[in-house]
Amino acid sequence: MGKILDAFVDDQLHVNAVTEKRTSHHQYLCEQVEILQSKLEKKLNDEDRELLKKLADTYFDESCCDAHNNFVRGYRLGVLMTMEVFSGQDSFLGNDE
């Protein structure tokens, strides 16, 4: 079996963005989120801070759902593209039929 299939079978296939190195732009955006959230939290009372935390948590959960759906859709598209490539493989063989 190939390395990727072995990793898949052994539950060692890492597909989360955590395994990828962030670009400098992505890192900048992450830092800005932290800075802006910290500034906003300082201006809010306890009740408003809790509401902000709930908003951030809900947004994170929603983003995870989107990431999951995008991964599944992309995986399916990749498989369909592979199937299409394999369906044309006979055109490279010298068939006299």
Side-chain angles (χ1 to χ4, degrees):
M1 212 178 324
K3 289 181 181 182
I4 293 176
L5 289 177
D6 285 336
F8 184 71
V9 168
D10 296 334
D11 198 26
Q12 296 297 313
L13 187 61
H14 303 286
V15 294
N16 295 333
V18 177
T19 62
E20 296 292 321
K21 186 175 180 179
R22 289 180 178 159
T23 65
S24 58
H25 180 66
H26 186 188
Q27 183 62 38
Y28 168 79
L29 293 173
C30 290
E31 291 166 1
Q32 288 301 304
V33 167
E34 284 186 44
I35 290 168
L36 293 170
Q37 186 170 347
S38 178
K39 285 181 179 180
L40 184 57
E41 284 176 349
K42 289 176 184 173
K43 293 184 177 210
L44 300 175
N45 63 36
D46 289 343
E47 184 180 337
D48 292 339
R49 269 194 295 277
E50 186 59 32
L51 186 59
L52 176 63
K53 183 183 179 322
K54 286 181 181 179
L55 172 65
D57 290 347
T58 303
Y59 181 71
F60 175 78
D61 291 343
E62 189 266 338
S63 295
C64 288
C65 288
D66 278 346
H68 174 86
N69 291 337
N70 288 339
F71 174 81
V72 170
R73 188 165 172 80
Y75 191 90
R76 285 180 175 151
L77 178 60
V79 169
L80 289 172
M81 291 170 70
T82 302
M83 289 171 51
E84 187 175 306
V85 168
F86 281 126
S87 71
Q89 70 187 18
D90 291 343
S91 67
F92 292 98
L93 303 175
N95 293 338
D96 293 334
E97 297 174 15

